[in-house]
Amino acid sequence: MSDTQTVVLVEGLSDKSAVETLAERRGLDLAAEGISLVAMGGATNIRTYAGRFGPSGSNLRLAGLCDAGEEGDYRRGLERAGLVSGSSRNDLEALGFFVCVADLEDELIRTLGTAAVEQVVDAEGELGSFRTLQKQPAWRGGSTHDQLRRFMGSGSGRKIRYSGLLVEALDLDRVPRPLDMLLTHLAGSRSR
C-alpha cells in the first residue's frame, strides 16, 4: 500500500468485488489512482481499520460502503477515529461513506429487476438450485426479490461471485445510488 492515497473500507469480499467490477467498467484504474479496497471482514471492524488508515494511523483518505443495518457501527467507528462528528447520513456521505438500503445485493436486485437477476443465475447454471430454494416451506410464497437475496447469501462464495456478475449486468446509466456515489467520489478524488 505504499502508493495508496485512499483506502476504501467495505464490509466483505462481495462488496469489494462489486466496487472493483464497477471501477473497471467505468475505466477507473484503482491501483493507478492510488486507491486500495479493503474488505474488513464485517462492519464491526471499522474502528480498527479507520484507526489504522485514518488520521491517527497512516493518515490516508478514507471512503467506504456499508449496509443500512451497520450504519451505526460505521458512524461510531469513524467518530472514534476522529473523522466524523455529525450524526446524519449526509455527514457520512460528505466523508465518502455511502449506505446501501438493506445491503448491496438488495440494491443490485432492485436496480436490475428480478427477471434480469434470474437470467444471470441461469447463465451460471444455478437456476435449478434457485427454483429448489423457492419451493422450500420457509421461502414458498415469498417475493422473488427476497428469495434471490437469500439465494445469493447461501452457498459457498456465491455472494462474492454474484456481486461482480450483477454489476456486469447493470446498465451503466442505472447503477445503485450508494455504489454510484462511491465511484463518483473516488473518481473525483483524482483531482485532489
Side-chain angles (χ1 to χ4, degrees), residues 23-160:
E24 185 177 311
R25 287 195 66 204
R26 286 191 172 170
L28 178 62
D29 184 338
L30 296 172
E33 297 295 336
I35 300 168
S36 291
L37 295 174
V38 175
M40 301 182 300
T44 57
N45 293 322
I46 185 70
R47 181 178 179 187
T48 299
Y49 285 93
R52 180 180 302 159
F53 297 117
S56 62
S58 302
N59 199 27
L60 301 171
R61 276 191 308 266
L62 298 179
L65 194 65
C66 70
D67 300 343
E70 281 74 29
E71 183 176 356
D73 289 329
Y74 264 57
R75 185 175 287 113
R76 285 185 296 279
L78 295 170
E79 284 174 357
R80 287 188 183 115
L83 291 163
V84 66
S85 58
S87 59
S88 77
R89 189 169 286 179
N90 289 340
D91 295 321
L92 286 176
E93 289 186 356
L95 184 61
F97 285 83
F98 303 93
V99 180
C100 296
V101 170
D103 55 28
L104 187 55
E105 291 72 29
D106 173 65
E107 295 274 1
L108 291 166
I109 294 166
R110 260 188 300 106
T111 300
L112 284 166
T114 57
V117 175
E118 284 189 37
Q119 288 175 354
V120 172
V121 171
D122 190 23
E124 288 298 297
E126 290 196 296
L127 193 58
S129 295
F130 175 62
R131 296 290 183 237
T132 299
L133 178 138
Q134 288 182 302
K135 293 174 188 173
Q136 293 175 356
W139 294 101
R140 209 173 323 159
S143 74
T144 304
H145 176 96
D146 290 342
Q147 292 167 340
L148 283 164
R149 279 188 66 215
R150 173 64 182 133
F151 179 75
M152 298 294 163
S154 65
S156 179
R158 188 177 280 155
K159 201 172 178 182
I160 298 164

